[in-house]
Amino acid sequence: MKNVIDGINHWICFIPEEFNRMTVKELNHRPMPHKWSKKEILGHLCDSALNNMNRFIKIQYEEQPYVIQS
């Protein structure tokens, strides 16, 4: 478990530093028209994390089996 915590802490420190080094052009660049930019990917991951956090909190208090809402 310590390895997992250390890994998460590494990314929490690394990602903001890495994004702060990038230009706006680099962040918004789409490698192909149907591919997401780095900024879009990070936004999606943040949105997913917030939605999952709410699920993790609710699952502790809801009746079992818990049904995941789409």
Coordinates of all heavy atoms in Angstrom, one line a residue:
M1 N 0.8 -1.2 0.0 CA 0.0 0.0 0.0 C 0.9 1.3 0.0 O 0.5 2.3 -0.6 CB -0.9 0.0 1.2 CG -2.0 1.0 1.2 SD -3.0 0.9 -0.2 CE -4.5 1.5 0.4
K2 N 2.0 1.2 0.7 CA 2.9 2.3 0.7 C 3.4 2.7 -0.7 O 3.5 3.9 -1.0 CB 4.1 2.1 1.6 CG 5.0 3.3 1.7 CD 6.1 3.1 2.8 CE 7.1 4.2 2.9 NZ 7.1 5.3 1.9
N3 N 3.6 1.7 -1.5 CA 4.0 1.9 -2.9 C 3.0 2.7 -3.7 O 3.3 3.6 -4.5 CB 4.4 0.6 -3.6 CG 5.7 0.0 -3.1 OD1 6.4 0.7 -2.5 ND2 5.9 -1.2 -3.5
V4 N 1.7 2.3 -3.5 CA 0.6 3.0 -4.1 C 0.5 4.4 -3.7 O 0.4 5.4 -4.5 CB -0.7 2.3 -3.8 CG1 -1.9 3.0 -4.4 CG2 -0.7 0.9 -4.4
I5 N 0.6 4.7 -2.4 CA 0.6 6.0 -1.8 C 1.7 6.9 -2.4 O 1.6 8.0 -2.8 CB 0.6 6.0 -0.3 CG1 -0.8 5.4 0.2 CG2 0.7 7.4 0.3 CD1 -0.8 5.1 1.6
D6 N 2.9 6.3 -2.4 CA 4.1 7.0 -2.9 C 3.9 7.3 -4.4 O 4.3 8.4 -4.8 CB 5.4 6.2 -2.7 CG 5.8 6.1 -1.3 OD1 5.3 6.9 -0.4 OD2 6.6 5.2 -0.9
G7 N 3.3 6.4 -5.2 CA 3.1 6.6 -6.6 C 2.1 7.8 -6.8 O 2.3 8.6 -7.7
I8 N 1.0 7.7 -6.0 CA 0.0 8.8 -6.2 C 0.7 10.2 -5.8 O 0.5 11.2 -6.5 CB -1.2 8.5 -5.3 CG1 -2.0 7.3 -5.9 CG2 -2.1 9.8 -5.2 CD1 -3.1 6.8 -5.0
N9 N 1.4 10.2 -4.7 CA 2.1 11.5 -4.3 C 3.0 11.9 -5.4 O 3.2 13.2 -5.6 CB 2.8 11.3 -3.0 CG 1.8 11.3 -1.8 OD1 0.7 11.9 -1.9 ND2 2.1 10.6 -0.7
H10 N 3.7 11.0 -6.0 CA 4.7 11.4 -7.1 C 3.9 12.1 -8.2 O 4.3 13.2 -8.7 CB 5.4 10.2 -7.7 CG 6.0 10.4 -9.0 ND1 7.2 11.1 -9.1 CD2 5.6 10.1 -10.2 CE1 7.5 11.2 -10.4 NE2 6.6 10.6 -11.1
W11 N 2.8 11.6 -8.6 CA 2.0 12.2 -9.7 C 1.4 13.5 -9.3 O 1.3 14.4 -10.1 CB 1.0 11.2 -10.3 CG 1.6 10.1 -11.0 CD1 1.7 8.8 -10.6 CD2 2.4 10.1 -12.2 NE1 2.4 8.0 -11.5 CE2 2.9 8.8 -12.5 CE3 2.7 11.2 -13.1 CZ2 3.6 8.6 -13.7 CZ3 3.4 10.9 -14.2 CH2 3.9 9.6 -14.5
I12 N 1.0 13.6 -8.1 CA 0.4 14.8 -7.6 C 1.4 16.0 -7.7 O 1.0 17.1 -8.0 CB -0.2 14.7 -6.1 CG1 -1.4 13.8 -6.1 CG2 -0.4 16.0 -5.5 CD1 -1.9 13.4 -4.8
C13 N 2.6 15.7 -7.4 CA 3.7 16.7 -7.5 C 4.2 16.9 -9.0 O 4.4 18.0 -9.4 CB 4.9 16.3 -6.7 SG 4.6 16.3 -4.9
F14 N 4.3 15.8 -9.7 CA 4.9 15.8 -11.1 C 4.0 16.5 -12.1 O 4.5 17.3 -12.9 CB 5.2 14.4 -11.5 CG 5.7 14.3 -12.9 CD1 7.0 14.7 -13.2 CD2 4.9 13.9 -14.0 CE1 7.5 14.6 -14.5 CE2 5.3 13.9 -15.3 CZ 6.6 14.2 -15.6
I15 N 2.7 16.2 -12.1 CA 1.8 16.7 -13.1 C 1.7 18.2 -13.2 O 1.8 18.8 -14.2 CB 0.5 16.0 -13.1 CG1 0.6 14.5 -13.5 CG2 -0.6 16.7 -14.0 CD1 -0.6 13.6 -13.4
P16 N 1.4 18.9 -12.0 CA 1.4 20.3 -12.1 C 2.7 21.0 -12.6 O 2.7 21.9 -13.4 CB 1.1 20.7 -10.6 CG 0.4 19.6 -10.0 CD 1.1 18.4 -10.7
E17 N 3.8 20.4 -12.1 CA 5.1 20.9 -12.6 C 5.3 20.8 -14.1 O 5.7 21.7 -14.8 CB 6.3 20.2 -11.9 CG 6.4 20.5 -10.4 CD 7.4 19.6 -9.7 OE1 8.1 18.8 -10.4 OE2 7.5 19.7 -8.5
E18 N 4.9 19.6 -14.6 CA 5.0 19.3 -16.0 C 4.1 20.3 -16.8 O 4.5 20.8 -17.9 CB 4.6 17.9 -16.3 CG 4.9 17.4 -17.7 CD 6.4 17.3 -18.0 OE1 7.2 17.3 -17.1 OE2 6.7 17.3 -19.3
F19 N 2.8 20.4 -16.4 CA 1.9 21.3 -17.1 C 2.3 22.8 -17.1 O 2.2 23.5 -18.0 CB 0.5 21.1 -16.5 CG -0.3 20.1 -17.3 CD1 0.0 18.8 -17.2 CD2 -1.4 20.5 -18.1 CE1 -0.8 17.8 -17.9 CE2 -2.1 19.6 -18.8 CZ -1.8 18.2 -18.7
N20 N 2.9 23.2 -16.0 CA 3.4 24.6 -15.9 C 4.6 24.9 -16.8 O 4.8 26.0 -17.2 CB 3.8 24.9 -14.4 CG 2.6 25.1 -13.5 OD1 1.5 25.5 -14.0 ND2 2.7 24.8 -12.3
R21 N 5.3 23.8 -17.2 CA 6.4 24.0 -18.2 C 5.9 24.1 -19.6 O 6.6 24.5 -20.5 CB 7.4 22.8 -18.0 CG 8.3 22.9 -16.9 CD 9.5 21.9 -17.0 NE 9.1 20.6 -16.6 CZ 9.2 20.2 -15.3 NH1 9.8 20.9 -14.4 NH2 8.9 18.9 -15.0
M22 N 4.7 23.6 -19.9 CA 4.2 23.6 -21.2 C 3.6 25.0 -21.6 O 3.0 25.7 -20.8 CB 3.1 22.5 -21.4 CG 3.6 21.2 -21.2 SD 2.3 20.0 -21.5 CE 3.0 18.5 -20.8
T23 N 3.6 25.3 -22.9 CA 3.0 26.5 -23.4 C 1.5 26.2 -23.7 O 1.1 25.0 -23.7 CB 3.7 26.9 -24.8 OG1 3.4 25.8 -25.7 CG2 5.2 27.1 -24.6
V24 N 0.8 27.2 -23.8 CA -0.7 27.1 -24.1 C -0.8 26.3 -25.4 O -1.7 25.5 -25.5 CB -1.3 28.5 -24.2 CG1 -2.8 28.4 -24.7 CG2 -1.3 29.2 -22.9
K25 N 0.0 26.6 -26.4 CA 0.0 25.9 -27.6 C 0.2 24.4 -27.4 O -0.6 23.5 -28.0 CB 1.0 26.4 -28.6 CG 0.9 25.9 -30.0 CD 1.9 26.5 -30.9 CE 1.8 25.9 -32.3 NZ 2.7 26.6 -33.3
E26 N 1.1 24.0 -26.6 CA 1.4 22.6 -26.3 C 0.2 21.9 -25.6 O -0.2 20.8 -25.9 CB 2.6 22.4 -25.5 CG 3.9 22.7 -26.2 CD 5.1 22.6 -25.2 OE1 5.1 23.3 -24.2 OE2 6.0 21.8 -25.5
L27 N -0.4 22.6 -24.7 CA -1.5 22.1 -23.9 C -2.7 21.9 -24.8 O -3.5 20.9 -24.6 CB -1.9 23.0 -22.8 CG -0.9 23.0 -21.6 CD1 -1.2 24.1 -20.6 CD2 -0.8 21.7 -20.9
N28 N -2.9 22.8 -25.7 CA -4.2 22.7 -26.6 C -4.0 21.9 -27.9 O -4.9 21.7 -28.6 CB -4.6 24.1 -26.9 CG -5.2 24.8 -25.7 OD1 -5.8 24.2 -24.8 ND2 -4.9 26.1 -25.5
H29 N -2.8 21.5 -28.2 CA -2.5 20.8 -29.4 C -3.2 19.4 -29.4 O -3.1 18.6 -28.5 CB -1.0 20.6 -29.6 CG -0.6 19.7 -30.7 ND1 -0.8 20.1 -32.0 CD2 -0.2 18.4 -30.8 CE1 -0.4 19.1 -32.8 NE2 0.0 18.1 -32.1
R30 N -3.9 19.2 -30.5 CA -4.5 17.9 -30.8 C -3.6 17.2 -31.8 O -3.5 17.7 -32.9 CB -5.9 18.0 -31.3 CG -6.9 18.5 -30.3 CD -8.2 18.6 -30.9 NE -9.2 18.5 -29.8 CZ -10.5 18.2 -30.1 NH1 -10.9 17.9 -31.3 NH2 -11.3 18.1 -29.1
P31 N -3.0 16.0 -31.4 CA -2.2 15.3 -32.4 C -2.9 14.9 -33.7 O -2.3 14.8 -34.7 CB -1.7 14.1 -31.6 CG -2.6 14.0 -30.4 CD -3.2 15.3 -30.2
M32 N -4.2 14.7 -33.6 CA -5.0 14.4 -34.7 C -6.4 15.0 -34.4 O -6.7 15.2 -33.3 CB -5.1 12.8 -35.0 CG -3.8 12.2 -35.2 SD -3.9 10.4 -35.4 CE -4.5 10.3 -37.1
P33 N -7.2 15.2 -35.5 CA -8.5 15.9 -35.3 C -9.4 15.1 -34.3 O -10.1 15.8 -33.5 CB -9.1 15.9 -36.7 CG -7.9 15.9 -37.6 CD -6.9 15.1 -36.9
H34 N -9.3 13.8 -34.3 CA -10.2 13.1 -33.4 C -9.6 12.7 -32.0 O -10.2 12.0 -31.2 CB -10.7 11.8 -34.1 CG -9.5 10.9 -34.4 ND1 -8.7 11.1 -35.5 CD2 -9.1 9.7 -33.8 CE1 -7.8 10.1 -35.6 NE2 -8.0 9.3 -34.6
K35 N -8.4 13.2 -31.8 CA -7.6 12.9 -30.5 C -7.8 14.1 -29.6 O -7.9 15.3 -30.1 CB -6.2 12.6 -30.8 CG -5.9 11.4 -31.6 CD -6.2 10.1 -30.8 CE -5.8 8.9 -31.5 NZ -6.1 7.7 -30.8
W36 N -7.7 13.9 -28.3 CA -7.8 15.0 -27.3 C -6.5 15.6 -27.1 O -5.4 15.0 -27.2 CB -8.3 14.4 -26.0 CG -9.8 14.1 -26.0 CD1 -10.7 14.1 -27.0 CD2 -10.5 13.6 -24.9 NE1 -11.9 13.7 -26.6 CE2 -11.8 13.4 -25.3 CE3 -10.2 13.3 -23.5 CZ2 -12.8 12.9 -24.4 CZ3 -11.2 12.9 -22.7 CH2 -12.5 12.7 -23.1
S37 N -6.5 16.9 -26.7 CA -5.3 17.6 -26.3 C -4.9 17.2 -24.9 O -5.7 16.6 -24.2 CB -5.5 19.1 -26.4 OG -6.4 19.5 -25.3
K38 N -3.7 17.5 -24.5 CA -3.3 17.3 -23.1 C -4.2 17.9 -22.1 O -4.6 17.4 -21.0 CB -1.9 17.7 -22.9 CG -0.9 16.8 -23.6 CD 0.5 17.3 -23.5 CE 1.4 16.3 -24.2 NZ 2.5 16.8 -25.0
K39 N -4.6 19.1 -22.4 CA -5.5 19.9 -21.5 C -6.9 19.2 -21.4 O -7.5 19.1 -20.3 CB -5.7 21.3 -22.1 CG -6.5 22.2 -21.2 CD -6.6 23.6 -21.8 CE -7.4 24.6 -21.1 NZ -7.5 25.9 -21.7
E40 N -7.4 18.7 -22.5 CA -8.7 18.0 -22.5 C -8.6 16.7 -21.7 O -9.5 16.3 -21.0 CB -9.2 17.7 -23.9 CG -9.6 18.9 -24.7 CD -9.8 18.7 -26.1 OE1 -9.0 18.0 -26.8 OE2 -10.9 19.2 -26.7
I41 N -7.5 16.0 -21.9 CA -7.3 14.7 -21.1 C -7.2 15.0 -19.6 O -7.9 14.3 -18.9 CB -6.0 14.0 -21.6 CG1 -6.1 13.5 -23.0 CG2 -5.6 12.9 -20.7 CD1 -4.9 13.1 -23.7
L42 N -6.5 16.0 -19.2 CA -6.4 16.3 -17.8 C -7.8 16.8 -17.3 O -8.2 16.3 -16.2 CB -5.4 17.4 -17.5 CG -5.2 17.8 -16.1 CD1 -4.7 16.6 -15.3 CD2 -4.2 19.0 -15.9
G43 N -8.5 17.5 -18.0 CA -9.9 17.9 -17.6 C -10.8 16.7 -17.5 O -11.5 16.6 -16.5
H44 N -10.7 15.8 -18.4 CA -11.5 14.6 -18.3 C -11.1 13.8 -17.0 O -12.0 13.3 -16.3 CB -11.3 13.7 -19.6 CG -11.9 12.4 -19.5 ND1 -13.3 12.2 -19.5 CD2 -11.3 11.2 -19.3 CE1 -13.5 10.9 -19.4 NE2 -12.3 10.2 -19.3
L45 N -9.8 13.6 -16.8 CA -9.4 12.9 -15.6 C -9.9 13.5 -14.3 O -10.3 12.9 -13.4 CB -7.9 12.7 -15.6 CG -7.3 11.8 -16.7 CD1 -5.8 11.9 -16.7 CD2 -7.8 10.4 -16.5
C46 N -9.8 14.9 -14.2 CA -10.3 15.6 -13.1 C -11.8 15.4 -12.9 O -12.3 15.1 -11.8 CB -10.0 17.1 -13.2 SG -8.2 17.5 -13.0
D47 N -12.5 15.5 -14.0 CA -14.0 15.3 -13.9 C -14.3 13.9 -13.5 O -15.2 13.7 -12.6 CB -14.6 15.6 -15.3 CG -16.1 15.5 -15.3 OD1 -16.7 16.3 -14.5 OD2 -16.6 14.7 -16.1
S48 N -13.6 12.9 -14.0 CA -13.9 11.5 -13.6 C -13.5 11.3 -12.1 O -14.3 10.6 -11.4 CB -13.0 10.6 -14.4 OG -13.4 10.6 -15.8
A49 N -12.4 11.9 -11.7 CA -12.0 11.8 -10.3 C -13.1 12.3 -9.3 O -13.5 11.7 -8.3 CB -10.7 12.4 -10.0
L50 N -13.7 13.5 -9.7 CA -14.7 14.1 -8.8 C -16.0 13.2 -8.8 O -16.6 13.0 -7.8 CB -15.0 15.5 -9.3 CG -14.0 16.5 -9.0 CD1 -14.3 17.8 -9.7 CD2 -13.8 16.7 -7.6
N51 N -16.4 12.7 -10.0 CA -17.5 11.8 -10.0 C -17.3 10.6 -9.2 O -18.2 10.1 -8.5 CB -17.9 11.5 -11.5 CG -18.5 12.7 -12.2 OD1 -19.3 13.4 -11.6 ND2 -18.2 12.9 -13.4
N52 N -16.1 10.0 -9.4 CA -15.8 8.8 -8.6 C -15.8 9.0 -7.1 O -16.2 8.2 -6.3 CB -14.6 8.1 -9.1 CG -14.8 7.4 -10.5 OD1 -15.8 6.9 -10.7 ND2 -13.7 7.4 -11.3
M53 N -15.2 10.2 -6.7 CA -15.2 10.5 -5.3 C -16.6 10.5 -4.7 O -16.8 10.0 -3.6 CB -14.5 11.8 -5.1 CG -14.3 12.2 -3.6 SD -13.4 13.7 -3.3 CE -14.6 14.9 -4.0
N54 N -17.5 11.1 -5.4 CA -18.9 11.1 -4.9 C -19.5 9.7 -4.8 O -20.1 9.4 -3.9 CB -19.8 12.0 -5.9 CG -19.5 13.4 -5.7 OD1 -19.1 13.9 -4.7 ND2 -19.8 14.2 -6.8
R55 N -19.1 8.9 -5.8 CA -19.6 7.5 -5.7 C -19.0 6.8 -4.5 O -19.7 6.0 -3.8 CB -19.2 6.7 -7.0 CG -20.0 7.1 -8.2 CD -19.6 6.3 -9.4 NE -20.4 6.7 -10.6 CZ -19.8 7.0 -11.7 NH1 -18.5 6.8 -11.9 NH2 -20.5 7.4 -12.7
F56 N -17.7 7.0 -4.3 CA -17.1 6.3 -3.1 C -17.7 6.7 -1.8 O -17.8 5.9 -0.9 CB -15.6 6.5 -3.1 CG -14.9 6.0 -4.3 CD1 -13.7 6.6 -4.8 CD2 -15.3 4.9 -5.0 CE1 -13.0 6.1 -5.9 CE2 -14.6 4.4 -6.1 CZ -13.5 5.0 -6.6
I57 N -18.1 8.0 -1.7 CA -18.7 8.5 -0.5 C -20.1 7.9 -0.4 O -20.5 7.4 0.7 CB -18.7 10.0 -0.5 CG1 -17.3 10.5 -0.3 CG2 -19.6 10.5 0.7 CD1 -17.1 12.0 -0.5
K58 N -20.9 8.0 -1.4 CA -22.3 7.5 -1.4 C -22.3 6.0 -1.1 O -23.2 5.5 -0.4 CB -23.0 7.8 -2.7 CG -23.4 9.2 -2.9 CD -23.9 9.4 -4.3 CE -25.4 9.4 -4.2 NZ -26.0 9.7 -5.6
I59 N -21.4 5.2 -1.7 CA -21.5 3.8 -1.6 C -21.4 3.3 -0.1 O -21.9 2.2 0.3 CB -20.4 3.1 -2.4 CG1 -20.8 1.6 -2.7 CG2 -19.0 3.2 -1.8 CD1 -19.9 1.0 -3.8
Q60 N -20.8 4.1 0.7 CA -20.6 3.8 2.2 C -22.0 3.8 2.9 O -22.1 3.2 3.9 CB -19.7 4.7 2.8 CG -18.3 4.6 2.3 CD -17.4 5.6 2.9 OE1 -17.1 5.6 4.1 NE2 -16.8 6.6 2.1
Y61 N -22.9 4.6 2.4 CA -24.2 4.9 3.1 C -25.4 4.3 2.4 O -26.5 4.4 3.0 CB -24.3 6.4 3.3 CG -23.1 7.0 4.0 CD1 -22.1 7.7 3.4 CD2 -22.9 6.8 5.4 CE1 -21.0 8.2 4.0 CE2 -21.8 7.3 6.1 CZ -20.9 8.0 5.4 OH -19.8 8.5 6.0
E62 N -25.3 3.9 1.2 CA -26.4 3.4 0.4 C -26.7 2.0 0.8 O -25.8 1.2 1.2 CB -26.2 3.6 -1.1 CG -26.0 5.0 -1.6 CD -27.3 5.8 -1.6 OE1 -28.4 5.2 -1.9 OE2 -27.3 7.0 -1.3
E63 N -27.9 1.5 0.5 CA -28.2 0.1 0.7 C -27.4 -0.7 -0.3 O -27.1 -0.3 -1.4 CB -29.7 -0.1 0.4 CG -30.6 0.4 1.5 CD -32.1 0.0 1.3 OE1 -32.3 -1.1 0.7 OE2 -32.9 0.8 1.7
Q64 N -27.1 -1.9 0.1 CA -26.4 -2.8 -0.8 C -27.3 -3.8 -1.5 O -28.3 -4.1 -0.9 CB -25.4 -3.6 0.1 CG -24.4 -2.7 0.8 CD -23.5 -1.9 -0.1 OE1 -23.0 -2.4 -1.1 NE2 -23.3 -0.7 0.2
P65 N -27.1 -4.2 -2.7 CA -25.9 -3.9 -3.5 C -26.1 -2.5 -4.0 O -27.2 -2.1 -4.4 CB -25.9 -4.9 -4.6 CG -27.3 -5.3 -4.7 CD -27.9 -5.2 -3.3
Y66 N -25.0 -1.7 -4.1 CA -25.1 -0.4 -4.6 C -25.1 -0.4 -6.1 O -24.4 -1.1 -6.8 CB -23.8 0.4 -4.2 CG -23.7 1.8 -4.7 CD1 -24.5 2.8 -4.2 CD2 -22.8 2.1 -5.7 CE1 -24.5 4.1 -4.6 CE2 -22.7 3.4 -6.1 CZ -23.6 4.4 -5.6 OH -23.5 5.7 -6.1
V67 N -26.0 0.4 -6.7 CA -26.2 0.5 -8.2 C -25.5 1.7 -8.6 O -25.9 2.8 -8.2 CB -27.7 0.4 -8.6 CG1 -27.8 0.6 -10.1 CG2 -28.3 -0.9 -8.0
I68 N -24.6 1.6 -9.5 CA -23.9 2.8 -10.0 C -24.8 3.5 -11.0 O -25.3 2.9 -12.0 CB -22.5 2.4 -10.7 CG1 -21.6 1.8 -9.6 CG2 -21.9 3.6 -11.4 CD1 -20.3 1.3 -10.2
Q69 N -25.0 4.8 -10.8 CA -25.8 5.6 -11.7 C -24.9 6.1 -12.8 O -23.7 6.5 -12.6 CB -26.3 6.9 -10.9 CG -27.2 6.5 -9.7 CD -28.4 5.8 -10.1 OE1 -29.1 6.1 -11.1 NE2 -28.8 4.8 -9.4
S70 N -25.4 6.1 -14.0 CA -24.6 6.5 -15.2 C -24.7 8.0 -15.3 O -25.5 8.7 -14.7 CB -25.1 5.8 -16.4 OG -26.5 6.2 -16.6

